Amino acid sequence: MKKKILLLIILLSVILGITLRYIARNEKDFIYVVPKIKNIEVLNRDIGNYSLIKENGDILKTPNKNFLNGKIFLNVPNGDYILKADFDDEVKSINIIKSSDWEKVKVNLEGDYFSKKQEIFLNIITLTLIVFNFAIFNRLRNKIKKNKILSSLFGLLLLKLIFSFRGSFQTDFLLFLDFFITRILGFALIFYILENIIPKNKKVVRVLTYTAVSIVYFYNFIFAVAILSPQIYIYLLTYCYKLFKICSEVRKFIDLTRIIFVLIIYSFIRSHKKLKKLDYICWLAIGVGYFILEFFHNLFPSNSKLYYFIELIEFMCVYWGLIFSKLKVYTKELSRAVRYVLGLMLAYISLFYFKTLTEPFVILSTIFLLDFYTMVFDRIMKETDSSIEKIYNKLSLIHNKRQFEIQLEKEIKKHLKINTLIKIFSNSEEVEKYIYNKDDFDEDIVLDKDKIKIPNYNLGFRMEFNGNPYVGIILLKESNEEISYDQYQYLRNIAVKLSNIASKIRLNSLYEELVLDD
């Protein structure tokens, strides 16, 4: 059903785009000026001042509008003109001849650009990010590949990383492609959060999100068709000016990353209503860091060149945050290795290229800041061992299999309000009643719902001991309220910690059966 809706949206968009292109084919008498400025992105409005001068020296007083990263002069009759371009204290004058319905003029301007060293530095950072993203993905590939959507999202994130390289090789086509990939990645992340993080019964939240997404899609569609043809832009300006104006204003407040930001805040408030004071401070530190990423261009408008790099980091944070929270995977060693190796490498590169201590000092200082965030993450992702130790001591006194199953279920329900099924297996035939393909298992003790035969149970943990992969299992019937990371780790640790007791009880049970048979 969802695929049909997606195909319908794509089909309607293509039909509408072709229709607009057809009805706008007769728009004429305009000049489209495209300044070729380094690091000017598709929707950058800071493009300088431009004017058309007639042969007699008078300035042509005609309406003009900013269009994407260029300027359009309307109602321009055919003839000879001088285009005067003024950008970042650089002035150029170009002789142009308008002899057709409309003309596209390119102006080469330097502007405020990255130096060669800066380009090398930024591209090394981008390459390093690609390598580290691959390294993390490779470490977790068995879990990620089980989720086709998350695996596809990594492909989009990788494309976004690749198109983040900066240099003279950039063309309008590559900039436009980056524009489209960024939008697709943003939409995909939002729909994943809606389907997998936000409960189905939160209808108001879902309706508001779909409304905001529809608005974003609509104005992105308008900009996309305008990118493909300036004539469509002229047509929309002439006959749909108010609509185009509304789209431009809405874009200032509603964007894909803003929607993701709001959804994450809502999800956090919903699932973390009761926190200890120190935990609250830790989560607040994470929230402030993400807030700075999202509103970076508002907080630091003079550093607009870094906006798209910051946006890339933001998408990375959201994606890996989903991986860690949804797949319940997080290792302190992996996190710390990524931060320190990356930080030290960047400090060395900056010292080598810039020959000063300022940049390395800033980067090394950042490492200490990141180490603070390491402690924050460790606090948030902490594993509770004290309660597990109490359960272990209590259950070690039990010798009866059924009593063990009942008591462990009671202990788990003290910490988790979730339906639980505990089973210790006496033989392989019992395993086959609960598990599909019992001989097909990997090192991970986690059981996905496609491995579980019992209806409505969608998560499980194997108890393995001394070469036996199925001493017992813990099955969970998750509701709309998905278990958190620390709850997931709590159950995982119980399965590991109690496996030896379960094995002992299993052997006792087998011994009792043999005695009875005799």
Side-chain angles (χ1 to χ4, degrees):
M1 184 65 182
K2 293 176 182 178
K3 290 183 178 179
K4 291 181 179 179
I5 294 174
L6 179 60
L7 289 173
L8 180 62
I9 293 173
I10 293 173
L11 181 62
L12 290 176
S13 299
V14 171
I15 292 173
L16 181 57
I18 293 173
T19 303
L20 282 173
R21 180 68 183 89
Y22 178 77
I23 62 178
R25 70 190 186 282
N26 294 323
E27 296 298 324
K28 56 184 180 179
D29 295 336
F30 66 89
I31 291 179
Y32 175 29
V33 179
V34 183
K36 302 293 292 181
I37 306 171
K38 286 187 177 182
N39 308 306
I40 291 293
E41 307 293 345
V42 174
L43 299 179
N44 197 318
R45 299 299 187 183
D46 184 20
I47 58 172
N49 299 311
Y50 303 87
S51 57
L52 286 177
I53 302 174
K54 300 177 184 177
E55 286 184 305
N56 60 8
D58 294 336
I59 296 177
L60 182 66
K61 295 181 179 179
T62 182
N64 58 82
K65 297 286 184 181
N66 284 351
F67 172 53
L68 303 176
N69 59 340
K71 176 82 73 173
I72 283 187
F73 291 90
L74 306 169
N75 304 329
V76 180
N78 289 353
D80 296 340
Y81 300 94
I82 297 174
L83 174 65
K84 183 179 179 182
D86 183 356
F87 180 82
D88 198 25
D89 297 328
E90 180 183 5
V91 180
K92 277 192 176 182
S93 296
I94 302 174
N95 293 319
I96 60 175
I97 299 175
K98 182 178 181 298
S99 56
S100 56
D101 289 342
W102 61 279
E103 297 285 347
K104 183 176 182 178
V105 181
K106 294 184 179 180
V107 186
N108 291 315
L109 297 168
E110 288 294 320
D112 183 16
Y113 64 95
F114 291 129
S115 68
K116 195 66 178 178
K117 289 181 179 179
Q118 288 173 321
E119 279 186 4
I120 292 172
F121 183 72
L122 288 172
N123 288 333
I124 288 175
I125 293 176
T126 303
L127 181 61
T128 306
L129 289 174
I130 291 175
V131 171
F132 274 102
N133 274 272
F134 255 123
I136 300 173
F137 181 83
N138 186 59
R139 176 77 177 266
L140 308 174
R141 67 183 183 280
N142 291 332
K143 279 185 168 289
I144 296 177
K145 286 183 177 180
K146 290 180 181 179
N147 190 312
K148 293 182 179 179
I149 299 177
L150 287 176
S151 185
S152 300
L153 284 174
F154 179 76
L156 288 173
L157 178 63
L158 186 62
L159 283 175
K160 174 66 179 171
L161 279 161
I162 292 172
F163 282 103
S164 296
F165 283 108
R166 291 292 180 262
S168 56
F169 54 84
Q170 283 183 300
T171 63
D172 287 342
F173 175 75
L174 292 178
L175 289 174
F176 294 155
L177 205 54
D178 182 27
F179 171 80
F180 289 125
I181 289 171
T182 301
R183 269 64 192 171
I184 293 172
L185 177 59
F187 281 118
L189 286 170
I190 289 172
F191 287 125
Y192 183 85
I193 293 172
L194 279 177
E195 291 300 314
N196 297 275
I197 305 297
I198 306 299
K200 297 289 190 295
N201 59 351
K202 303 298 180 182
K203 294 183 179 180
V204 175
V205 176
R206 301 176 77 84
V207 169
L208 290 175
T209 304
Y210 281 122
T211 302
V213 168
S214 299
I215 293 172
V216 173
Y217 176 79
F218 180 74
Y219 71 63
N220 273 285
F221 170 78
I222 294 296
F223 284 122
V225 295
I227 287 173
L228 297 176
S229 172
Q231 287 179 294
I232 294 178
Y233 177 75
I234 300 300
Y235 177 83
L236 293 173
L237 275 182
T238 305
Y239 300 101
C240 309
Y241 177 75
K242 289 185 178 179
L243 177 63
F244 209 85
K245 185 68 175 177
I246 290 172
C247 287
S248 299
E249 292 300 319
V250 168
R251 183 182 174 274
K252 297 177 182 178
F253 303 99
I254 303 177
D255 205 352
L256 294 173
T257 52
R258 298 278 173 91
I259 296 174
I260 294 173
F261 182 69
V262 172
L263 286 176
I264 290 174
I265 291 177
Y266 170 76
S267 177
F268 172 80
I269 294 175
R270 183 187 63 81
S271 57
H272 295 81
K273 294 179 180 178
K274 294 181 179 180
L275 286 175
K276 296 179 180 178
K277 189 174 182 180
L278 185 56
D279 291 338
Y280 182 82
I281 295 173
C282 290
W283 277 112
L284 182 63
I286 299 296
V288 169
Y290 187 64
F291 177 87
I292 292 173
L293 286 176
E294 172 56 31
F295 294 93
F296 181 85
H297 59 292
N298 298 110
L299 298 172
F300 309 102
S302 60
N303 293 314
S304 60
K305 289 190 299 182
L306 289 175
Y307 169 66
Y308 284 85
F309 185 76
I310 294 296
E311 183 184 59
L312 169 63
I313 301 299
E314 188 175 0
F315 276 127
M316 281 177 50
C317 290
V318 172
Y319 176 76
W320 290 113
L322 289 175
I323 292 291
F324 294 146
S325 62
K326 188 63 183 175
L327 301 185
K328 311 296 191 298
V329 289
Y330 172 81
T331 62
K332 293 181 284 187
E333 295 79 10
L334 177 65
S335 178
R336 174 159 287 188
V338 169
R339 285 191 295 273
Y340 273 84
V341 174
L342 179 59
L344 292 170
M345 183 178 179
L346 295 182
Y348 174 80
I349 292 171
S350 64
L351 180 62
F352 180 82
Y353 279 102
F354 296 109
K355 309 298 183 185
T356 68
L357 292 174
T358 304
E359 289 81 6
F361 176 78
V362 171
I363 292 173
L364 290 172
S365 299
T366 305
I367 291 177
F368 289 104
L369 179 62
L370 290 174
D371 200 40
F372 162 73
Y373 272 94
T374 298
M375 294 186 292
V376 168
F377 276 115
D378 290 347
R379 175 70 185 179
I380 291 172
M381 302 293 189
K382 66 181 182 300
E383 302 172 11
T384 306
D385 290 324
S386 58
S387 59
I388 296 177
E389 196 66 35
K390 291 178 182 178
I391 294 174
Y392 180 86
N393 293 334
K394 185 181 294 186
L395 294 181
S396 62
L397 302 175
I398 296 175
H399 302 284
N400 179 270
K401 185 174 73 171
R402 184 56 187 156
Q403 188 180 354
F404 176 89
E405 293 170 348
I406 294 172
Q407 188 61 40
L408 179 56
E409 185 176 342
K410 287 181 179 179
E411 294 296 331
I412 291 176
K413 284 186 176 181
K414 289 180 182 179
H415 298 271
L416 298 173
K417 303 300 181 182
I418 189 169
N419 291 330
T420 308
L421 175 63
I422 314 296
K423 184 66 180 177
I424 295 179
F425 300 119
S426 298
N427 52 59
S428 59
E429 286 75 17
E430 282 189 355
V431 179
E432 292 174 351
K433 294 178 182 179
Y434 292 82
I435 303 297
Y436 292 108
N437 301 322
K438 64 181 179 64
D439 296 324
D440 180 21
F441 61 91
D442 51 32
E443 294 180 0
D444 198 349
I445 65 170
V446 180
L447 298 171
D448 297 324
K449 61 181 179 181
D450 56 350
K451 291 278 293 180
I452 301 171
K453 281 187 176 181
I454 308 302
N456 300 323
Y457 285 87
N458 47 19
L459 180 63
F461 300 87
R462 291 188 296 112
M463 292 184 183
E464 60 178 12
F465 188 77
N466 200 24
N468 186 345
Y470 284 101
V471 172
I473 55 171
I474 300 173
L475 298 182
L476 306 173
K477 186 185 291 184
E478 287 189 280
S479 61
N480 288 333
E481 300 293 328
E482 187 177 285
I483 64 172
S484 63
Y485 176 85
D486 55 333
Q487 292 172 334
Y488 176 93
Q489 286 298 101
Y490 171 77
L491 291 167
R492 185 190 186 97
N493 290 343
I494 281 181
V496 173
K497 185 77 173 178
L498 300 182
S499 60
N500 63 334
I501 299 178
S503 179
K504 182 184 70 174
I505 292 175
R506 175 179 176 275
L507 292 175
N508 288 339
S509 176
L510 291 173
Y511 176 75
E512 290 175 1
E513 290 178 6
L514 289 173
V515 171
L516 290 174
D517 289 341
D518 290 340

